[in-house]
Amino acid sequence: MSRYTGPVCRLCRAEGTKLFLKGDRCYTEKCAIARRNTRPGQHGARKGKTSEYGIRLREKQKLRRFYGLNESQFAKMYEMATKMPGQTGHDFLQLLERRLDNVVYRLGFAVSRRQARELVRHGHFLVNGRKLDVPSALLRAGDVVTVREKSRDVEVLKQNAEVASQRSVPGWLEVNPETMSGRVVSLPTRDQIEVPVNEQLVVEFYAR
């Protein structure tokens, strides 16, 4: 499936919830959900009964769009989760959270996951002292993410670091805005993962 390149606010409206795809705009009254919480398109305001399949499909699409993955990437990570011990739903969310682009976003070095992927691909980050430009790379407890020395004067990163200093990060991460670095303290537990979805419905979708 090709990458979606249209207005991201349409995706939030399609799912009927904030997916936080547009950075700081999502926290203001300019958010599309706050202004017009209806599905996009000519018949978006129409409401009908959703089938059991439709409910699970929408939950899967919501989670996929929340993390900004295409269908093949998303399905591949779910397949990885099914081979891990423990609850598949939690393991799946944990894998999604451990992606380098998500960690960069959670640490506050990017205003959205889309921007985080772009910054990672451009080689602005080090992981444990080595350059890593693969957004899908999975981090482990103890890994340290640092903005490269020569990238610290990049205006976008400087602005993001200033904003990050005023925000809290999830309990499984810690950040040092002064050194523009962060560390994975531990793997995230379910109550530390803030996602607007019921992951069990996603598991049921793939298990059908």
Side-chain angles (χ1 to χ4, degrees):
M1 180 178 292
S2 60
R3 182 183 304 169
Y4 177 78
T5 58
V8 294
C9 289
R10 287 176 62 90
L11 301 181
C12 294
R13 290 178 57 202
E15 303 305 335
T17 188
K18 288 188 179 186
L19 301 178
F20 300 97
L21 304 177
K22 200 132 186 181
D24 292 338
R25 183 188 179 98
C26 300
Y27 297 93
T28 70
E29 59 184 15
K30 293 183 179 180
C31 173
I33 292 296
R35 290 187 292 112
R36 185 170 53 173
N37 190 9
T38 59
R39 292 178 62 84
Q42 181 179 357
H43 306 294
R46 294 184 179 179
K47 293 184 179 180
K49 185 177 180 180
T50 306
S51 65
E52 291 296 316
Y53 170 81
I55 293 173
R56 288 161 177 75
L57 173 62
R58 291 265 57 84
E59 207 70 5
K60 187 267 293 185
Q61 291 292 78
K62 190 188 305 180
L63 184 61
R64 182 175 69 80
R65 288 168 169 171
F66 184 79
Y67 285 101
L69 306 184
N70 62 37
E71 191 63 48
S72 61
Q73 291 173 316
F74 194 73
K76 181 178 180 181
M77 297 210 74
Y78 177 79
E79 185 65 23
M80 291 175 60
T82 62
K83 298 177 181 179
M84 296 171 62
Q87 296 182 349
T88 299
H90 171 247
D91 290 339
F92 188 31
L93 291 181
Q94 192 178 86
L95 286 174
L96 293 169
E97 285 289 304
R98 287 170 53 198
R99 284 175 55 101
L100 175 57
D101 54 358
N102 180 76
V103 172
V104 166
Y105 166 71
R106 293 292 195 189
L107 288 171
F109 297 140
V111 298
S112 67
R113 291 179 178 84
R114 175 180 286 190
Q115 185 187 76
R117 278 190 293 278
E118 182 178 350
L119 292 172
V120 170
R121 289 195 186 102
H122 288 176
H124 291 300
F125 294 94
L126 304 175
V127 175
N128 298 329
R130 295 186 177 184
K131 178 182 173 182
L132 183 57
D133 58 5
V134 182
S136 61
L138 296 177
L139 303 190
R140 300 178 179 180
D143 285 348
V144 176
V145 179
T146 310
V147 177
R148 294 181 67 187
E149 188 71 33
K150 67 178 184 179
S151 298
R152 296 183 183 184
D153 291 329
V154 175
E155 191 60 30
V156 171
L157 286 166
K158 288 173 62 178
Q159 292 177 357
N160 291 346
E162 291 177 4
V163 174
S165 64
Q166 303 172 8
R167 290 184 179 175
S168 60
V169 299
W172 58 283
L173 298 172
E174 64 179 20
V175 63
N176 187 332
E178 294 182 358
T179 60
M180 298 182 76
S181 65
R183 186 171 71 92
V184 180
V185 178
S186 62
L187 298 185
T189 59
R190 180 61 186 92
D191 61 332
Q192 293 175 316
I193 303 175
E194 296 184 7
V195 291
V197 298
N198 180 345
E199 69 274 13
Q200 184 55 37
L201 294 178
V202 181
V203 173
E204 292 173 6
F205 173 84
Y206 280 111
R208 71 191 191 284

